[in-house]
């Protein structure tokens, strides 16, 4: 589906680092900031977008701080015994039981896609979230390789975490016709993904899925290429970036509530600042806002 000269919202994943994006999107919702024609999310970013599109303030914050910190979701001891390190299926089911979505709002709002990685090819697939595929697609986009043992399959394919193949699908948004793209990152702007120093480890652990192992081996190259696209977009496109500050201390598996709350407040502030600048306060506008490269 093409959206010529449209506005897109892209939200990166990053497991618990998604707490920043949850704050950004809650700030957007509190201000009624919904200028986008479509959205694409990856892993935790797709979960954050689900709350935004469904107009469910604080849902993502609650899912992260109340459920993703639970031993039922994240359990190293279970993993050492051969089980899941993270139980994505449980998190999805429990999230919808505890914090049900307004499906009428969700499916009458802008379309959004979840990114996932095909386990056979190692390539990115983008599935538009519908009422019929929502469960399978939302589990698939967050199904971390190795950490989640079950391989989600639907629509004729089997998938793993979307961040393996396309962590920041800004190029995909451009390909679909977006020319005004807002990207919410989960790392500070200074971040540069280092290359995989031991690709043989992934090849061994993922011997059943050589396509995924190959994608993991080249993940840093694709990630950094997306950052370069953000910094130097095509002449006919504008890319606006909302990223955590340099002192953002949340890591992929941070479980401390205090640190998560700090990250959430950083997201709230970043979202509010973004809207303030777009409204032209302090002389900043859509044409010269400092979130743009």
């Amino acid at each position: 589906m093409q959206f010529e000269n449209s506005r897109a919202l892209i939200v990166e994943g990053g497991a618990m680092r998604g707490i920043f994006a949850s704050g950004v999107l809650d700030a957007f919702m509190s201000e009624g900031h919904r200028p986008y024609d479509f959205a694409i999310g990856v892993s935790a970013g797709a979960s954050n977008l689900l709350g935004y599109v469904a107009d469910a303030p604080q849902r993502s914050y609650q899912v992260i701080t109340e459920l993703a910190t639970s031993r039922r979701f994240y359990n190293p001891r279970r993993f050492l015994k051969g089980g899941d390190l993270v139980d994505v299926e449980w998190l999805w089911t429990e999230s919808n039981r505890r914090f049900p979505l307004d499906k009428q709002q969700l499916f009458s709002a802008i379309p959004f896609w979840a990114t996932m990685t095909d386990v056979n090819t190692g390539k990115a697939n983008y599935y538009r979230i519908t009422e019929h595929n929502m469960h399978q697609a939302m589990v698939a986009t967050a199904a971390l390789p190795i950490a989640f043992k079950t391989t989600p399959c639907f629509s004729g394919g089997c998938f793993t975490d979307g961040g393996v193949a396309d962590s920041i699908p800004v190029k995909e948004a451009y390909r679909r016709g977006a020319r005004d793209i807002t990207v919410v990152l989960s790392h500070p702007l200074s971040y540069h993904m280092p290359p995989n120093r031991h690709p043989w480890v992934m090849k061994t652990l993922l011997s059943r899925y050589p396509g995924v192992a190959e994608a993991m081996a080249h993940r840093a190259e694709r990630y950094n290429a997306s950052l370069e696209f953000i910094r130097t977009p095509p002449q006919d496109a504008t890319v606006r970036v909302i990223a955590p500050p340099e002192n953002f201390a949340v890591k992929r598996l941070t479980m401390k509530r205090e640190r998560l709350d700090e990250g959430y407040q950083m997201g709230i502030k970043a979202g509010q600042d973004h809207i303030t600048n777009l409204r032209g306060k302090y002389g900043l506008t859509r044409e010269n806002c400092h979130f743009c490269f």
Side-chain angles (χ1 to χ4, degrees), residues 45-63:
S47 179
N48 277 321
L49 272 177
L50 197 70
Y52 173 70
V53 176
D55 194 21
Q58 289 205 318
R59 182 183 190 272
S60 294
Y61 169 81
Q62 291 171 314
V63 169

Side-chain angles (χ1 to χ4, degrees), residues 65-82:
T65 59
E66 296 180 26
L67 300 182
T69 56
S70 165
R71 185 65 63 87
R72 184 65 181 81
F73 173 65
Y74 172 64
N75 192 326
R77 181 175 297 179
R78 181 179 61 204
F79 184 63
L80 292 174
K81 293 181 178 179

Side-chain angles (χ1 to χ4, degrees), residues 68-227:
T69 56
S70 165
R71 185 65 63 87
R72 184 65 181 81
F73 173 65
Y74 172 64
N75 192 326
R77 181 175 297 179
R78 181 179 61 204
F79 184 63
L80 292 174
K81 293 181 178 179
D84 297 316
L85 178 63
V86 290
D87 190 341
V88 179
E89 182 75 39
W90 174 85
L91 184 65
W92 169 256
T93 302
E94 189 66 8
S95 296
N96 285 286
R97 186 185 73 82
R98 291 270 301 275
F99 313 112
L101 292 158
D102 181 342
K103 291 185 178 179
Q104 182 176 358
Q105 168 63 31
L106 176 62
F107 296 117
S108 64
I110 63 170
F112 91 94
W113 280 258
T115 305
M116 55 205 72
T117 302
D118 188 299
V119 299
N120 292 315
T121 66
K123 304 293 185 183
N125 285 42
Y126 309 90
Y127 277 87
R128 180 174 175 177
I129 299 301
T130 69
E131 189 165 3
H132 301 293
N133 71 12
M134 181 167 65
H135 181 147
Q136 297 96 326
M138 293 301 295
V139 170
T141 188
L144 289 166
I146 303 171
F148 184 59
K149 304 293 185 181
T150 305
T151 303
C153 298
F154 71 100
S155 193
C158 296
F159 306 96
T160 190
D161 191 287
V164 173
D166 192 1
S167 296
I168 314 171
V170 62
K171 293 182 182 180
E172 177 65 15
Y174 181 82
R175 187 189 71 78
R176 290 175 182 267
R179 294 298 179 265
D180 188 330
I181 305 170
T182 299
V183 182
V184 184
L185 298 176
S186 61
H187 286 285
L189 285 174
S190 61
Y191 180 73
H192 184 85
M193 183 175 286
N196 189 332
R197 297 177 61 184
H198 305 291
W200 62 270
V201 174
M202 282 298 161
K203 288 184 179 181
T204 301
L205 294 173
L206 294 166
S207 58
R208 292 177 57 197
Y209 305 113
V212 176
E214 184 69 12
M216 290 288 286
H218 296 282
R219 182 171 178 242
E221 296 171 29
R222 288 191 301 275
Y223 188 96
N224 295 329
S226 294
L227 291 179

Side-chain angles (χ1 to χ4, degrees), residues 249-276:
V250 179
K251 307 300 181 186
R252 176 174 288 276
L253 294 175
T254 294
M255 296 293 157
K256 291 183 178 180
R257 180 65 174 267
E258 181 180 355
R259 186 159 292 178
L260 290 171
D261 283 343
E262 289 174 357
Y264 176 72
Q265 291 302 322
M266 289 177 179
I268 291 282
K269 183 179 187 304
Q272 292 171 338
D273 288 347
H274 183 76
I275 294 170
T276 297

